[in-house]
Amino acid sequence: LGYIDLQAFEVGEEYPFEVMLPAKFINTDNIISVTATIDAKNLSTKVVTVSDIRVINVPQNYDVSVETQKIYNVTLVGPEAELDELQANNVIAQMDANNITFAKGQQNAPVNIIVPSSNNIFASGSYTALINISVK
């Protein structure tokens, strides 16, 4: 039916989806929309500051340096017990150079927040870091 954008996820929100069937399928129950909710009773949030900011997939003829030292107010969502044990230094902000428009100079670029030690914790919200691009 669709996807829930975890970057925009908020605990307790409802996510409506329109039911659209492929051609030649028949909607025998005549359901035209559904609402998805995520059982959040076991989820909690934690706000951290991320200082491990990395860039991957940089083309060989460019240098990319990260100018942002820290990304503040990163909201993590996950099981409360895991969030309680999680240290901010175990959270990575990763930027994929394949998603950057390469032009000499500074620009803000999106980062993905990664928690390598957990499959249950994700970041809510969108985050950027300032980078400086130069030609080798």
Side-chain angles (χ1 to χ4, degrees), residues 4 8-17 34-38:
I4 296 174
F9 174 81
E10 291 187 29
V11 174
E13 281 290 312
E14 293 184 345
Y15 300 91
F17 294 97
V34 296
T35 300
T37 57
I38 296 175

PDB file of all heavy atoms in Angstrom, residues 4 8-17 34-38:
ATOM      1  N   ILE A   4       5.992   4.099   5.195  1.00  0.00           N
ATOM      2  CA  ILE A   4       5.999   5.132   6.227  1.00  0.00           C
ATOM      3  C   ILE A   4       7.403   5.700   6.251  1.00  0.00           C
ATOM      4  O   ILE A   4       8.373   4.973   6.461  1.00  0.00           O
ATOM      5  CB  ILE A   4       5.604   4.550   7.602  1.00  0.00           C
ATOM      6  CG1 ILE A   4       4.158   4.044   7.545  1.00  0.00           C
ATOM      7  CG2 ILE A   4       5.781   5.598   8.693  1.00  0.00           C
ATOM      8  CD1 ILE A   4       3.701   3.318   8.793  1.00  0.00           C
ATOM      9  N   ALA A   8      10.061  11.134   8.975  1.00  0.00           N
ATOM     10  CA  ALA A   8       8.945  11.973   9.420  1.00  0.00           C
ATOM     11  C   ALA A   8       8.125  11.291  10.507  1.00  0.00           C
ATOM     12  O   ALA A   8       7.120  11.826  10.953  1.00  0.00           O
ATOM     13  CB  ALA A   8       8.048  12.312   8.227  1.00  0.00           C
ATOM     14  N   PHE A   9       8.562  10.124  10.936  1.00  0.00           N
ATOM     15  CA  PHE A   9       7.823   9.337  11.923  1.00  0.00           C
ATOM     16  C   PHE A   9       7.729  10.066  13.257  1.00  0.00           C
ATOM     17  O   PHE A   9       8.690  10.651  13.727  1.00  0.00           O
ATOM     18  CB  PHE A   9       8.524   7.990  12.144  1.00  0.00           C
ATOM     19  CG  PHE A   9       7.925   7.173  13.253  1.00  0.00           C
ATOM     20  CD1 PHE A   9       6.792   6.415  13.030  1.00  0.00           C
ATOM     21  CD2 PHE A   9       8.473   7.173  14.521  1.00  0.00           C
ATOM     22  CE1 PHE A   9       6.229   5.663  14.037  1.00  0.00           C
ATOM     23  CE2 PHE A   9       7.928   6.425  15.539  1.00  0.00           C
ATOM     24  CZ  PHE A   9       6.794   5.668  15.296  1.00  0.00           C
ATOM     25  N   GLU A  10       6.542  10.012  13.834  1.00  0.00           N
ATOM     26  CA  GLU A  10       6.335  10.521  15.181  1.00  0.00           C
ATOM     27  C   GLU A  10       5.535   9.479  15.955  1.00  0.00           C
ATOM     28  O   GLU A  10       4.575   8.904  15.428  1.00  0.00           O
ATOM     29  CB  GLU A  10       5.585  11.853  15.157  1.00  0.00           C
ATOM     30  CG  GLU A  10       6.423  12.983  14.578  1.00  0.00           C
ATOM     31  CD  GLU A  10       5.726  14.317  14.714  1.00  0.00           C
ATOM     32  OE1 GLU A  10       4.928  14.499  15.658  1.00  0.00           O
ATOM     33  OE2 GLU A  10       5.975  15.181  13.868  1.00  0.00           O
ATOM     34  N   VAL A  11       5.947   9.231  17.187  1.00  0.00           N
ATOM     35  CA  VAL A  11       5.267   8.257  18.029  1.00  0.00           C
ATOM     36  C   VAL A  11       3.801   8.653  18.174  1.00  0.00           C
ATOM     37  O   VAL A  11       3.484   9.800  18.449  1.00  0.00           O
ATOM     38  CB  VAL A  11       5.957   8.157  19.410  1.00  0.00           C
ATOM     39  CG1 VAL A  11       5.177   7.264  20.348  1.00  0.00           C
ATOM     40  CG2 VAL A  11       7.387   7.652  19.259  1.00  0.00           C
ATOM     41  N   GLY A  12       2.895   7.706  17.917  1.00  0.00           N
ATOM     42  CA  GLY A  12       1.466   7.954  18.072  1.00  0.00           C
ATOM     43  C   GLY A  12       0.761   8.465  16.834  1.00  0.00           C
ATOM     44  O   GLY A  12      -0.460   8.611  16.840  1.00  0.00           O
ATOM     45  N   GLU A  13       1.475   8.748  15.761  1.00  0.00           N
ATOM     46  CA  GLU A  13       0.843   9.257  14.534  1.00  0.00           C
ATOM     47  C   GLU A  13       0.124   8.145  13.787  1.00  0.00           C
ATOM     48  O   GLU A  13       0.461   6.972  13.901  1.00  0.00           O
ATOM     49  CB  GLU A  13       1.897   9.857  13.598  1.00  0.00           C
ATOM     50  CG  GLU A  13       2.341  11.242  13.981  1.00  0.00           C
ATOM     51  CD  GLU A  13       1.265  12.285  13.763  1.00  0.00           C
ATOM     52  OE1 GLU A  13       0.645  12.327  12.689  1.00  0.00           O
ATOM     53  OE2 GLU A  13       1.051  13.075  14.686  1.00  0.00           O
ATOM     54  N   GLU A  14      -0.855   8.532  12.973  1.00  0.00           N
ATOM     55  CA  GLU A  14      -1.543   7.610  12.082  1.00  0.00           C
ATOM     56  C   GLU A  14      -1.125   7.935  10.648  1.00  0.00           C
ATOM     57  O   GLU A  14      -0.905   9.095  10.306  1.00  0.00           O
ATOM     58  CB  GLU A  14      -3.056   7.753  12.232  1.00  0.00           C
ATOM     59  CG  GLU A  14      -3.565   7.316  13.583  1.00  0.00           C
ATOM     60  CD  GLU A  14      -5.084   7.380  13.669  1.00  0.00           C
ATOM     61  OE1 GLU A  14      -5.722   8.026  12.802  1.00  0.00           O
ATOM     62  OE2 GLU A  14      -5.628   6.785  14.603  1.00  0.00           O
ATOM     63  N   TYR A  15      -1.050   6.889   9.809  1.00  0.00           N
ATOM     64  CA  TYR A  15      -0.594   7.050   8.435  1.00  0.00           C
ATOM     65  C   TYR A  15      -1.645   6.447   7.486  1.00  0.00           C
ATOM     66  O   TYR A  15      -1.759   5.230   7.390  1.00  0.00           O
ATOM     67  CB  TYR A  15       0.773   6.375   8.249  1.00  0.00           C
ATOM     68  CG  TYR A  15       1.800   6.989   9.165  1.00  0.00           C
ATOM     69  CD1 TYR A  15       2.025   6.469  10.435  1.00  0.00           C
ATOM     70  CD2 TYR A  15       2.494   8.121   8.783  1.00  0.00           C
ATOM     71  CE1 TYR A  15       2.944   7.060  11.292  1.00  0.00           C
ATOM     72  CE2 TYR A  15       3.408   8.714   9.638  1.00  0.00           C
ATOM     73  CZ  TYR A  15       3.633   8.180  10.891  1.00  0.00           C
ATOM     74  OH  TYR A  15       4.530   8.770  11.736  1.00  0.00           O
ATOM     75  N   PRO A  16      -2.398   7.311   6.794  1.00  0.00           N
ATOM     76  CA  PRO A  16      -3.447   6.815   5.890  1.00  0.00           C
ATOM     77  C   PRO A  16      -2.875   6.412   4.520  1.00  0.00           C
ATOM     78  O   PRO A  16      -1.917   7.020   4.036  1.00  0.00           O
ATOM     79  CB  PRO A  16      -4.383   8.010   5.745  1.00  0.00           C
ATOM     80  CG  PRO A  16      -3.500   9.200   5.964  1.00  0.00           C
ATOM     81  CD  PRO A  16      -2.427   8.762   6.928  1.00  0.00           C
ATOM     82  N   PHE A  17      -3.460   5.380   3.930  1.00  0.00           N
ATOM     83  CA  PHE A  17      -3.077   4.919   2.601  1.00  0.00           C
ATOM     84  C   PHE A  17      -4.335   4.639   1.788  1.00  0.00           C
ATOM     85  O   PHE A  17      -5.290   4.063   2.290  1.00  0.00           O
ATOM     86  CB  PHE A  17      -2.254   3.625   2.681  1.00  0.00           C
ATOM     87  CG  PHE A  17      -0.928   3.795   3.343  1.00  0.00           C
ATOM     88  CD1 PHE A  17      -0.770   3.490   4.681  1.00  0.00           C
ATOM     89  CD2 PHE A  17       0.164   4.257   2.629  1.00  0.00           C
ATOM     90  CE1 PHE A  17       0.455   3.644   5.301  1.00  0.00           C
ATOM     91  CE2 PHE A  17       1.394   4.411   3.237  1.00  0.00           C
ATOM     92  CZ  PHE A  17       1.540   4.104   4.576  1.00  0.00           C
ATOM     93  N   VAL A  34      -6.976   2.612   4.088  1.00  0.00           N
ATOM     94  CA  VAL A  34      -6.619   1.997   5.369  1.00  0.00           C
ATOM     95  C   VAL A  34      -5.731   2.966   6.123  1.00  0.00           C
ATOM     96  O   VAL A  34      -5.103   3.851   5.532  1.00  0.00           O
ATOM     97  CB  VAL A  34      -5.899   0.640   5.197  1.00  0.00           C
ATOM     98  CG1 VAL A  34      -6.792  -0.385   4.543  1.00  0.00           C
ATOM     99  CG2 VAL A  34      -4.615   0.805   4.423  1.00  0.00           C
ATOM    100  N   THR A  35      -5.690   2.803   7.421  1.00  0.00           N
ATOM    101  CA  THR A  35      -4.832   3.635   8.256  1.00  0.00           C
ATOM    102  C   THR A  35      -3.878   2.731   9.021  1.00  0.00           C
ATOM    103  O   THR A  35      -4.307   1.790   9.688  1.00  0.00           O
ATOM    104  CB  THR A  35      -5.665   4.468   9.245  1.00  0.00           C
ATOM    105  OG1 THR A  35      -6.556   5.297   8.498  1.00  0.00           O
ATOM    106  CG2 THR A  35      -4.778   5.350  10.112  1.00  0.00           C
ATOM    107  N   ALA A  36      -2.596   3.016   8.889  1.00  0.00           N
ATOM    108  CA  ALA A  36      -1.579   2.251   9.607  1.00  0.00           C
ATOM    109  C   ALA A  36      -1.159   3.025  10.851  1.00  0.00           C
ATOM    110  O   ALA A  36      -1.007   4.249  10.818  1.00  0.00           O
ATOM    111  CB  ALA A  36      -0.369   2.020   8.718  1.00  0.00           C
ATOM    112  N   THR A  37      -1.022   2.314  11.927  1.00  0.00           N
ATOM    113  CA  THR A  37      -0.463   2.895  13.147  1.00  0.00           C
ATOM    114  C   THR A  37       0.633   1.955  13.630  1.00  0.00           C
ATOM    115  O   THR A  37       0.562   0.747  13.414  1.00  0.00           O
ATOM    116  CB  THR A  37      -1.514   3.064  14.260  1.00  0.00           C
ATOM    117  OG1 THR A  37      -2.110   1.805  14.531  1.00  0.00           O
ATOM    118  CG2 THR A  37      -2.580   4.060  13.872  1.00  0.00           C
ATOM    119  N   ILE A  38       1.629   2.514  14.241  1.00  0.00           N
ATOM    120  CA  ILE A  38       2.719   1.716  14.785  1.00  0.00           C
ATOM    121  C   ILE A  38       2.524   1.644  16.285  1.00  0.00           C
ATOM    122  O   ILE A  38       2.375   2.672  16.954  1.00  0.00           O
ATOM    123  CB  ILE A  38       4.085   2.324  14.427  1.00  0.00           C
ATOM    124  CG1 ILE A  38       4.260   2.290  12.903  1.00  0.00           C
ATOM    125  CG2 ILE A  38       5.211   1.574  15.118  1.00  0.00           C
ATOM    126  CD1 ILE A  38       5.503   2.949  12.398  1.00  0.00           C
TER     127      ILE A  38
END
